[in-house]
Amino acid sequence: MFESKYSKVLTVILIVVIIAILGLLGFLGYDWYQKYFLENDALAFVENYTNDNSGTDSSDKNTASDDNTEAATNPIDSIERTNTVSGSSGNEMPTYKGFNVVGTIEIPAIDLNYPILQKVNKSSLETSVAFLYGAGINQVGNSVIVGHNYRNGLFFSNNKRLNIGDTIYVTDNSKNRLTYKIYDKFETTPEDASFYSRDTAGIPEVTLSTCNDDSSKRLIILARAE
């Protein structure tokens, strides 16, 4: 009798352990799947976008493409376009996964390649990085670009590995591709926006903002066009 009850308890424990293992494997598998396809979709978009926007960089003729040796395995065949949002010139705005795009950002030091989405909301930040505030992509003044830190390599998760002097390439919808150099990196409180509006002495700058690994502070990267 005792052995029968003991056997049943062991069976239940074994089933619970198996379910827990399967659940963990499923979670890890989904995380890997999401990261793999999001990154490859984004890379394919950036490659198509920068090929389509074939203008030269006014400050640096070199491109980041030499640093990205792996081709996307899930390429987007063409960039969708929409007339629902247009610039003052009436040009159509590219879209990525249903979101309007204002440019792309490439950071070779951390193998980052993403479209910059026009609006910041829950859905857009689960899809790519987004423009939050400022003069506008590659415009004189400061432009703030935000992205999640999922601590898995997606979006701005690896910004903590960036150093002063690293290069950021930003391409806008007017075919301008600028090279930015990082000149400051710091952490601050989530409420601090004092550096958003700043005098850039007539030079385009970008600010990259994300959470630190425990989400207690914001990791801020400042970069200036060369």
Side-chain angles (χ1 to χ4, degrees):
M1 183 73 174
F2 175 78
E3 291 181 355
S4 178
K5 289 183 179 180
Y6 182 71
S7 177
K8 289 180 179 178
V9 170
L10 287 179
T11 300
V12 170
I13 292 174
L14 181 60
I15 292 172
V16 170
V17 170
I18 291 173
I19 291 173
I21 291 173
L22 290 175
L24 178 61
L25 290 175
F27 173 80
L28 294 175
Y30 175 77
D31 185 66
W32 176 86
Y33 174 89
Q34 181 188 45
K35 178 177 181 293
Y36 178 82
F37 283 104
L38 272 174
E39 286 186 338
N40 279 284
D41 280 353
L43 175 58
F45 181 94
V46 170
E47 288 178 340
N48 277 332
Y49 181 99
T50 52
N51 287 336
D52 185 44
N53 288 350
S54 55
T56 58
D57 183 341
S58 60
S59 61
D60 189 345
K61 301 286 185 185
N62 295 324
T63 68
S65 59
D66 293 337
D67 297 280
N68 300 321
T69 57
E70 291 188 11
T73 58
N74 187 28
I76 297 173
D77 294 329
S78 61
I79 299 173
E80 299 173 6
R81 297 187 181 275
T82 176
N83 288 313
T84 57
V85 178
S86 299
S88 58
S89 63
N91 293 330
E92 295 177 343
M93 184 173 288
T95 65
Y96 175 74
K97 296 184 181 295
F99 296 94
N100 291 316
V101 171
V102 293
T104 63
I105 181 170
E106 302 163 72
I107 310 179
I110 55 174
D111 197 26
L112 181 147
N113 303 272
Y114 285 109
I116 304 168
L117 307 183
Q118 183 188 35
K119 293 184 178 180
V120 174
N121 55 46
K122 184 177 184 294
S123 296
S124 67
L125 290 177
E126 290 174 349
T127 304
S128 190
V129 302
F131 174 79
L132 175 66
Y133 172 89
I137 301 303
N138 287 345
Q139 299 299 305
V140 171
N142 179 45
S143 297
V144 182
I145 302 169
V146 297
H148 276 315
N149 173 10
Y150 285 135
R151 295 175 292 280
N152 64 353
L154 277 177
F155 309 135
F156 283 166
S157 294
N158 289 327
N159 279 17
K160 57 184 174 288
R161 292 169 41 199
L162 292 173
N163 298 304
I164 292 174
D166 283 341
T167 300
I168 299 172
Y169 298 95
V170 177
T171 305
D172 60 42
N173 289 344
S174 296
K175 302 184 179 181
N176 297 314
R177 180 183 177 84
L178 298 185
T179 300
Y180 295 77
K181 290 289 185 180
I182 295 173
Y183 68 87
D184 201 2
K185 174 183 177 180
F186 59 91
E187 289 188 350
T188 188
T189 63
E191 298 78 22
D192 183 15
S194 60
F195 48 89
Y196 282 13
S197 297
R198 60 179 185 267
D199 183 5
T200 65
I203 298 173
E205 293 194 10
V206 292
T207 296
L208 310 185
S209 177
T210 190
C211 293
N212 64 356
D213 282 348
D214 63 10
S215 299
S216 62
K217 294 183 178 181
R218 293 287 184 269
L219 174 64
I220 306 299
I221 304 288
L222 306 184
R224 181 180 295 117
E226 291 194 327

